[in-house]
Amino acid sequence: MASKMNPFTFLQQVRAETMKVTWPSQRETVISTLMVFAMAFFAAAFFFGADQLFGLLISLVLNVGK
């Protein structure tokens, strides 16, 4: 059976665990955010190029182009 815990005790434990967390600095957060945006841009550009290339190749193979 699950033991019942006092909500006040639970909140104290949550606060104690939160104090143990190593939070990133503002600089680390900004750099990580910029890296995520850059990688998303490069991934989008890559998949756009791959889609265009495959579309061109398929249209040439199937002769459905101009």
Side-chain angles (χ1 to χ4, degrees), residues 19-36:
M19 296 299 287
K20 295 178 187 177
V21 174
T22 303
W23 299 100
S25 68
Q26 182 177 1
R27 183 175 186 270
E28 290 172 329
T29 303
V30 169
I31 289 172
S32 297
T33 302
L34 292 175
M35 290 178 67
V36 167

Side-chain angles (χ1 to χ4, degrees), residues 1-63:
M1 286 179 61
S3 63
K4 296 195 178 197
M5 183 181 290
N6 180 351
F8 182 71
T9 304
F10 173 74
L11 291 175
Q12 282 180 325
Q13 290 176 352
V14 168
R15 183 174 176 159
E17 290 298 319
T18 304
M19 296 299 287
K20 295 178 187 177
V21 174
T22 303
W23 299 100
S25 68
Q26 182 177 1
R27 183 175 186 270
E28 290 172 329
T29 303
V30 169
I31 289 172
S32 297
T33 302
L34 292 175
M35 290 178 67
V36 167
F37 281 120
M39 289 304 296
F41 173 78
F42 288 125
F46 170 77
F47 287 115
F48 176 76
D51 183 53
Q52 294 298 311
L53 178 64
F54 284 122
L56 176 66
L57 292 174
I58 288 173
S59 67
L60 291 174
V61 169
L62 299 177
N63 289 326

